[in-house]
Amino acid sequence: LGEAAMALTPNDHGWNDMLGTAPGPRMNATFVTLARNSDVWDIARSIRQVEDRFNRRYNYDWVFLNDKPFDETFKKVTASLVSGKTHYGEIPHEHWSFPEHIDQDKAKKVREDMAQRKIIYGDSISYRHMCRFESGFFFRQELMMNYEWYWRVEPSIELFCDIHYDPFRYMAEHKKKYSFVLSLYEYVETIPTLWDSVKKFMKNYPEHIAEGNSMGFLSDDGGETYNKCHFWSNFEVGNLEWLRSKAYIDFFESLDQDGGFFYERWGDAPVHSIAAGLLLPKEEIHFFNDIAYYHVPFTHCPTGEQTRIDLRCHCNPKENFDWKGYSCTSRYFDINKLDKPQGYEEQE
Ligand code: GDP
Ligand code: MN
C-alpha cells in the first residue's frame, strides 16, 4: 500500500463493514470491570478476547470502575478495543473503606495472623475492600444505574469458543437472574463464620428466602452447615435489578454488619453464590456450558466435541474442571435434575 492508502482509517479499507453486526434487539446491558491502572495490559487481553468471540457483533457498552481515577493510557487503550461505548467511574470513598462499626485493631490482628498462616490475600486491606465492593456496591455505582444486565470481566481471562448468541438476551428470555461457568469449594480459613451470619439472616428475614431455592447446592445437611460450594464470580452474567432488590440489599447489609469482610476475608464469590442460592428459585441460576472460559488456575471447556468444532474452540477438553473432584458443578446438575453434557463421563 502507498502512503495515501496507509493514511486511510480502517473503515476506509472496508474493515468495519466486514465485522457483521448481529441482527436482533439489544438488551439494556453492559460489561463491567473493576481494575487498577496497572491492570491495563491484562484487561486489554481480556477485552480483545471478549470482542473477538462475541462483542464485535453486538457492540455492548463497557463500564470500568476504580477506587482511583483512571489514567489516560488506561482510557485510550480500553476505548480503542471496546466496540461499544466505554464509561469510566471512580468509586466513592464510602464504598471502598472501613465502615464505622469495624474495630480497626481487631481487623489488623486478623491480617497479621492470616499473613503468618500464609492464607492467600490474608494480609491485604485492598483485597478486602475489593471483595466488599463486589459484594455490595458495584451494581449501585452511578454508571451502573442505567443498566439492567451486567457481565463481569476480569484481567487476564480467556474465552475459548465463539459465542453465537446473545447471553444477555438468553438470560432475559429464559427469566434467569444469575449465571456461572465454574464452581468450586471455598477455602474455609477465609469464611469460618460466614454461614453463622447467613443463618442469622435467614432467621431475621424469612420472607426473603425463595421457595424452591438451591439450598441443596450450598449445604449437605439441609442448611445446618455450609459445604463451601460457590460459583466463581470472576465470570458472571447477571441481573442488576436483582442485586438492587430489597432482598439482596438486606442480605448484604446483614452480612456487612457482622464484619466478616474485615474480621475474616469473605470473598464476593461465596457471598453472591449464597445469595443466588437462597434468594432465587433454583431455575433462575444458569450454567453457560457453551461459554468456554479460563481464569487462573481453572478452565471451563465444553466436553462435547461437536460443540467445540461448531464454536471454533481452542481449549483442551482435558483441562475442563467441571467434573473433577474439586468442582461443585455436578451438584448443580444434580439438584436441578439436569443431564450432564456429552462427553462428561470421560472426565470423571
Ligand atoms: P483474584 O482473581 O481473586 O486473584 O483477584 P484479582 O487480583 O483478579 O482481583 C479481582 C478484581 O478486582 C480484578 O478485576 C482486579 O483488577 C480488581 N482489583 C483487585 N484489587 C484492586 C484494587 O486495589 N483496586 C482496583 N481498582 N481494582 C482491584
Ligand atoms: Mn482475578
Side-chain angles (χ1 to χ4, degrees):
L1 293 177
E3 282 287 317
M6 297 291 279
L8 296 174
T9 67
N11 199 36
D12 296 322
H13 294 290
W15 179 262
N16 288 353
D17 299 333
M18 280 164 48
L19 293 177
T21 303
R26 295 294 184 271
M27 302 297 104
N28 183 13
T30 185
F31 290 94
V32 60
T33 294
L34 173 70
R36 296 155 286 217
N37 286 309
S38 58
D39 292 320
V40 60
W41 301 111
D42 293 324
I43 196 61
R45 286 166 49 203
S46 299
I47 297 170
R48 186 68 260 171
Q49 304 221 8
V50 171
E51 288 289 335
D52 287 348
R53 292 300 197 166
F54 169 70
N55 202 43
R56 66 188 177 86
R57 301 182 58 238
Y58 289 87
N59 314 133
Y60 279 107
D61 294 356
W62 206 306
V63 170
F64 296 91
L65 301 171
N66 189 350
D67 56 304
K68 305 211 167 63
F70 280 115
D71 62 29
E72 285 309 309
T73 303
F74 190 99
K75 290 195 250 188
K76 240 192 283 177
V77 170
T78 52
S80 78
L81 291 169
V82 175
S83 61
K85 289 198 191 77
T86 50
H87 301 283
Y88 302 89
E90 190 176 339
I91 297 163
H93 180 72
E94 318 84 84
H95 297 169
W96 195 280
S97 50
F98 292 93
E100 245 164 54
H101 66 269
I102 295 297
D103 175 341
Q104 293 284 340
D105 290 335
K106 181 171 164 189
K108 183 157 180 269
K109 288 204 185 77
V110 169
R111 293 195 301 275
E112 287 165 0
D113 175 59
M114 284 197 176
Q116 284 222 319
R117 289 156 61 209
K118 301 224 166 16
I119 292 168
I120 183 166
Y121 300 120
D123 62 341
S124 173
I125 296 179
S126 68
Y127 196 84
R128 287 181 170 79
H129 289 319
M130 183 278 284
C131 290
R132 179 168 176 265
F133 175 79
E134 292 286 18
S135 297
F137 301 106
F138 85 89
F139 48 85
R140 32 182 172 162
Q141 297 303 292
E142 206 175 295
L143 286 172
M144 297 301 287
M145 296 306 285
N146 305 323
Y147 298 101
E148 188 183 353
W149 300 95
Y150 73 102
W151 179 333
R152 175 167 164 186
V153 177
E154 284 207 357
S156 299
I157 59 121
E158 292 194 61
L159 286 185
F160 298 111
C161 303
D162 287 346
I163 300 171
H164 283 180
Y165 64 96
D166 181 347
F168 294 122
R169 193 173 163 192
Y170 180 92
M171 299 281 289
E173 289 180 352
H174 293 83
K175 301 200 168 16
K176 306 288 186 185
K177 295 280 162 47
Y178 190 78
S179 67
F180 72 101
V181 290
L182 284 159
S183 71
L184 68 157
Y185 296 93
E186 182 59 297
Y187 304 112
V188 63
E189 294 86 350
T190 67
I191 52 157
T193 70
L194 174 58
W195 196 252
D196 294 336
S197 193
V198 169
K199 288 209 279 196
K200 185 158 118 194
F201 166 79
M202 289 194 281
K203 194 158 153 267
N204 290 341
Y205 295 92
E207 69 274 23
H208 290 331
I209 307 302
E211 244 176 81
N213 58 43
S214 307
M215 181 62 96
F217 177 79
L218 302 169
S219 174
D220 300 341
D221 51 18
E224 198 41 45
T225 59
Y226 179 37
N227 62 18
K228 279 65 156 201
C229 279
H230 63 287
F231 308 118
W232 219 21
S233 61
N234 48 63
F235 169 98
E236 290 176 325
V237 180
N239 184 283
L240 292 162
E241 310 284 347
W242 169 57
L243 293 172
R244 292 189 285 248
S245 70
K246 182 159 186 334
Y248 186 86
I249 299 291
D250 283 346
F251 177 76
F252 170 73
E253 285 177 357
S254 175
L255 264 52
D256 195 35
Q257 277 305 314
D258 290 339
F261 290 106
F262 299 101
Y263 299 146
E264 296 180 0
R265 207 225 64 200
W266 295 353
D268 53 285
V271 171
H272 287 184
S273 303
I274 293 170
L278 299 180
L279 309 180
L280 299 175
K282 62 181 186 310
E283 297 73 25
E284 293 184 355
I285 304 177
H286 182 62
F287 171 60
F288 277 111
N289 185 46
D290 45 12
I291 301 185
Y293 176 83
Y294 172 81
H295 175 294
V296 65
F298 299 120
T299 296
H300 166 67
C301 181
T303 48
E305 184 175 26
Q306 197 56 49
T307 303
R308 291 199 309 278
I309 304 282
D310 291 345
L311 302 182
R312 306 193 306 169
C313 302
H314 72 280
C315 53
N316 178 349
K318 290 210 178 86
E319 283 166 19
N320 181 40
F321 181 66
D322 301 346
W323 317 116
K324 296 187 177 160
Y326 210 64
S327 167
C328 290
T329 299
S330 59
R331 285 176 191 270
Y332 169 86
F333 272 70
D334 292 344
I335 69 153
N336 289 287
K337 303 192 171 60
L338 298 171
D339 292 327
K340 291 185 183 147
Q342 190 214 333
Y344 86 93
E345 314 84 347
E346 297 153 38
Q347 292 223 318
E348 278 186 315

